[in-house]
Amino acid sequence: MIPRYSNPEMEHIWTDQYKLDTWLKIEILACEANEKLGVIPKGVTKEIKKRADFDQNRILELERVTKHDVIAFLTNVAEYVGENSKYIHNGLTSSDILDTSFSLQLKQASLLIIKKLEKLLIIFKKQAIRYKDTICIGRSHGIHAEPITMGLKFALAYAEFERCLARMKLAKKEISVCKISGPVGTYSSINPKVEEYVAKKMGLLAETISTQIVPRDRHAYFFSTLALIASSIDRIATEIRHLQRTEVLEAEEFFSSGQKGSSAMPHKRNPVLSENLSGLARYIKATTASTLDNVVLWHERDISHSSVERIIGPDVTIALDFSLERLINVVDNLVLHPNNIKRNLNQLKGLHFSQNVLLKLIEKGMSRESAYSVVQKNAMKTWNKSSSKNSINFFDCLSKDKTVKNILTVKELKEIFNNKSYLKNINYIYKKVFKD
C-alpha cells in the first residue's frame, strides 16, 4: 500500500463500485444492441434499466457459493430485475464483461497518467529556461568531462518525457478495445454489431480478432510502457541523488521547515523523495515480466493472466501516478547551489579545456597523436596534484610547456580557456527540443 496517496480519481477507477458499475453498463448496452437487432423484445431494456442494481455484499455472499464473480454478479442483478433478467448476458461470456471493463479501467488510468506527464513537461521546460545559461561541469563515468548547463539537464529530461507522453498515448490506444464476441471469439452466439455498438458507446474500439479474451500482447505493451516511464523517472531521481551528495551538492531536494533527516544525526538532509522514486521504479519495472508471460496462454484461453492483472492493474497505475506527482513536486521545488556549481566547475583547475587545447594544436599543424600526448602530459601534472596544496593550474602548465609555447601564444591560450565557448550552440539545442 502506497502511503499518503491522494489521487481519488485514480483510486476510484480501481474500486469494486466502479468495476461493477462498468459491468452493469456493458450488460445494459449489450441489451440495447440486442433489442435494436430484434434479438430481445422491444421495451425490455427500458424496464431492465429501471430495475437494474446490485449489492456488493450480496455479490460476495453469492461468490462464496458459486466461486465465480461474474455469475455472482448476474445472479444478484437478476434479483433486482426479475423476469427480464433472462435477457441480460444474452450470448455473452464472462470475459466479454471482464476484458471490456478492464480495458476501460486502463484507458481511464491512462488519461490521468497523461495529465501528469503533461504537467511534468511544463515544469521541466520552466526549469530548462530558468537555468539555460547556468554553466556546470558535465560528467562521463562520473568523472569531470566538459561543461554543460543545468538548463540542458532539464531540457534533456523534457525531451525524454515528451517521448514518454507519446508512448503513453499509443499505449492508451492499444488497450482501448472492446471484446464482445462470445465463447472463443467466433460470434457464434452474439451478433458482431453488439460489439460495435458497445464499443462506440464506451469510447473504445472493437477488437480486431479475439479468442475468448482480448489478446494479452496489448496488455504487455501497456505495462511495458509504464515500466519505461518508471525507468525515466528513476534516471531523473538518480541524477538528483548524485547531485545532492555532500561532495557535489550542486542541487538538493527542498527541505521544509520542521523536516528531519535522521533519527540519529540532526544535520542530515537526505534525498529521500528521489530514493523513494528509485525504489518504486524497481517495483513497477519488475512487474513487466509477468505481463510478458501473460501473452502465452493455452489455446483460446486460460485464466493464469487474471490473478496477475487483478493485482498489477491497480497497483502499477497507482504507483506510477504517485511517482509522477512526486517527481513533479521534487523538480518544481529543486534547490540549486550556484557557488557549489562554480566550485565543482573549477575543481580540476581548468582540465575541462583539454579538448579545446588539443583541437587548437591540431589546427596549428600538429598531428593528433603528438597534440594528444603533450596535452595529456600537462593534464596529468594538474590531475596528480589537483587535491594537494601545491596544485597546478592547467593553464599555467601549458603556458610553461616549450612545445605549446612554440605553437600557441598566451593570448591564444587564454581565448581557449573560456567557458562561454561551450554555450555557442545552446540556442540550437533548445530550438530542437522545444520547437519554438
Side-chain angles (χ1 to χ4, degrees), residues 184-376:
V184 300
T186 61
Y187 302 101
S188 61
S189 57
I190 191 84
N191 191 312
K193 291 187 180 298
V194 174
E195 183 180 67
E196 292 175 8
Y197 181 86
V198 176
K200 185 176 180 180
K201 289 290 186 178
M202 297 192 70
L204 302 172
L205 296 173
E207 178 58 85
T208 309
I209 180 172
S210 66
T211 57
Q212 192 162 329
I213 61 169
V214 170
R216 256 44 194 179
D217 60 287
R218 291 186 180 275
H219 301 74
Y221 180 95
F222 180 87
F223 285 102
S224 294
T225 300
L226 301 193
L228 189 51
I229 295 171
S231 290
S232 292
I233 291 172
D234 192 12
R235 189 190 72 76
I236 303 300
T238 300
E239 176 73 14
I240 292 169
R241 291 165 62 194
H242 279 307
L243 291 176
Q244 189 164 334
R245 286 182 297 122
T246 306
E247 296 81 2
V248 179
L249 203 55
E250 293 181 11
E252 66 174 330
E253 293 177 5
F254 176 74
F255 197 82
S256 61
S257 175
Q259 185 175 339
K260 312 297 180 187
S262 166
S263 62
M265 296 169 282
H267 73 278
K268 295 297 291 297
R269 289 164 64 125
N270 306 322
V272 292
L273 301 179
S274 298
E275 289 174 333
N276 172 254
L277 288 173
S278 289
L280 284 173
R282 293 171 191 171
Y283 165 71
I284 294 169
K285 289 184 285 186
T287 62
T288 305
S290 62
T291 66
L292 296 173
D293 288 339
N294 282 352
V295 175
V296 186
L297 300 174
W298 288 16
H299 305 297
E300 280 61 57
R301 180 241 187 163
D302 66 56
I303 62 165
S304 58
H305 61 91
S306 176
S307 54
V308 178
E309 290 168 355
R310 288 169 190 255
I311 297 170
I312 67 172
D315 282 10
V316 175
T317 53
I318 287 173
L320 185 65
D321 182 73
F322 174 87
S323 296
L324 286 168
E325 183 64 31
R326 172 150 289 183
L327 184 62
I328 286 166
N329 291 327
V330 168
V331 175
D332 196 27
N333 295 293
L334 195 66
V335 178
L336 267 62
H337 297 294
N339 290 337
N340 291 342
I341 291 171
K342 186 176 181 180
R343 179 201 69 198
N344 291 335
L345 179 64
N346 298 321
Q347 186 177 1
L348 292 186
K349 308 294 182 181
L351 285 182
H352 60 263
F353 292 108
S354 68
Q355 182 183 209
N356 287 3
V357 179
L358 170 67
L359 294 176
K360 193 67 175 179
L361 290 173
I362 294 171
E363 181 187 320
K364 289 286 188 174
M366 286 187 75
S367 69
R368 182 175 183 84
E369 290 73 19
S370 298
Y372 194 102
S373 179
V374 72
V375 173
Q376 186 182 45

Side-chain angles (χ1 to χ4, degrees), residues 39-62:
V39 176
I40 63 177
K42 287 184 178 181
V44 165
T45 305
K46 185 177 180 181
E47 292 302 314
I48 290 174
K49 279 183 181 179
K50 285 180 182 178
R51 295 173 175 272
D53 205 349
F54 57 84
D55 180 273
Q56 290 188 48
N57 291 327
R58 176 61 176 151
I59 292 171
L60 290 173
E61 179 185 330
L62 290 165

